[in-house]
Amino acid sequence: MKRIMMLVLLATVTGLAVNAQASLKDVFANKETPLFYFGIDFTNIKVIDDAAINAEDVVSRQFNGINDVVVNEPKKYTIADAFRKSQVDHDLSFVSERNKTVDPKKLNSTTASDFERLTQKDIEATVAKLKTGSNTGVGLVLVAEALSKGKKAMAVWVTFIDSKTKKVLYTERMEAKMSTAFSLRNQWAACIKNLIDDIDKKKFKEWKKKFAAE
């Protein structure tokens, strides 16, 4: 009897350990494997050719507003559906703290090349500074690179991380179209919606083929 109980306990502990160390293969191959959403990190972002923008307001208010609307309207910003999950848990507090460190004076840019200036090493350095609490398994962070008024687009690095070690498991730069919404928050949030829609319609299949087969 003791032997059976020990085997059951070992199996339970092993199962928990496997779940805690979930890989990208697990996330894309198994609908039940959780994916944790940390939100949008704006600490690298440059706003290109938009002199009218209120940088102080963007840092103090808009960053949180954009992050909030994405999780508060799940029927519109369908992160769970895009990754074929019944739900995706989140905690925006970690990116919120990071986004407060942005210097408003460095937000604006008139340099077109700032739209494509980050590398994977930059993303790794960004993630290394992000607190993740007690979370384990695979996490999702959207690292915003730039928003260009001229291009009418936003560049974002879709980044999967090991939530415990903060190791970048995979990151890919994507561009999303900007909408003509009236408010700045809605314009930027629409970019994220378009990004999520692109993942849902195209990228998920590519990533599933790439990672589920590994």
Side-chain angles (χ1 to χ4, degrees):
M1 188 65 173
K2 289 183 178 179
R3 177 181 174 82
I4 293 175
M5 291 180 66
M6 285 297 292
L7 289 172
V8 172
L9 179 61
L10 179 61
T12 301
V13 171
T14 301
L16 290 172
V18 169
N19 185 57
Q21 299 173 7
S23 66
L24 282 180
K25 179 176 181 177
D26 298 322
V27 168
F28 286 98
N30 187 348
K31 291 183 178 181
E32 302 306 314
T33 300
L35 177 68
F36 192 90
Y37 178 61
F38 286 98
I40 310 161
D41 185 305
F42 287 105
T43 55
N44 295 288
I45 196 161
K46 291 289 185 182
V47 180
I48 304 168
D49 297 332
D50 191 354
I53 198 170
N54 184 334
E56 294 280 354
D57 183 64
V58 171
V59 175
S60 66
R61 198 165 62 90
Q62 301 294 350
F63 286 160
N64 280 344
I66 296 161
N67 263 307
D68 287 342
V69 74
V70 172
V71 299
N72 290 337
E73 298 184 26
K75 291 183 178 180
K76 185 175 182 180
Y77 302 89
T78 55
I79 295 176
D81 289 346
F83 289 96
R84 312 303 190 258
K85 304 295 180 185
S86 58
Q87 68 176 37
V88 172
D89 291 335
H90 66 269
D91 186 340
L92 303 178
S93 65
F94 305 112
V95 294
S96 179
E97 286 301 311
R98 287 275 297 139
N99 292 336
K100 289 178 184 177
T101 67
V102 175
D103 184 350
K105 295 178 182 178
K106 298 181 179 179
L107 193 66
N108 290 70
S109 170
T110 56
T111 305
S113 60
D114 277 344
F115 193 70
E116 297 182 56
R117 73 190 189 287
L118 298 183
T119 66
Q120 179 162 334
K121 288 187 177 180
D122 294 316
I123 306 306
E124 291 170 350
T126 298
V127 170
K129 296 175 183 177
L130 179 70
K131 293 181 180 178
T132 55
S134 60
N135 291 291
T136 57
V138 176
L140 171 65
V141 186
L142 303 181
V143 180
E145 179 173 14
L147 186 137
S148 171
K149 189 173 182 179
K151 287 180 175 289
K152 292 182 171 53
M154 187 178 193
V156 179
W157 291 72
V158 180
T159 307
F160 300 95
I161 67 171
D162 181 318
S163 301
K164 186 175 182 179
T165 65
K166 294 190 283 188
K167 175 183 178 182
V168 172
L169 302 175
Y170 181 74
T171 187
E172 182 171 331
R173 185 183 182 278
M174 294 180 63
E175 294 182 12
K177 293 181 179 179
M178 188 191 306
S179 79
T180 56
F182 178 74
S183 72
L184 181 145
R185 188 202 73 167
N186 289 340
Q187 286 179 358
W188 289 33
C191 290
I192 301 302
K193 181 186 184 305
N194 291 334
L195 179 83
I196 295 168
D197 289 346
D198 284 346
I199 292 171
D200 186 18
K201 296 173 183 177
K202 180 181 177 182
K203 281 295 177 182
F204 180 84
K205 292 179 181 179
E206 292 181 14
W207 292 337
K208 182 178 175 67
K209 184 177 181 180
K210 176 181 177 67
F211 296 114
E214 289 183 352

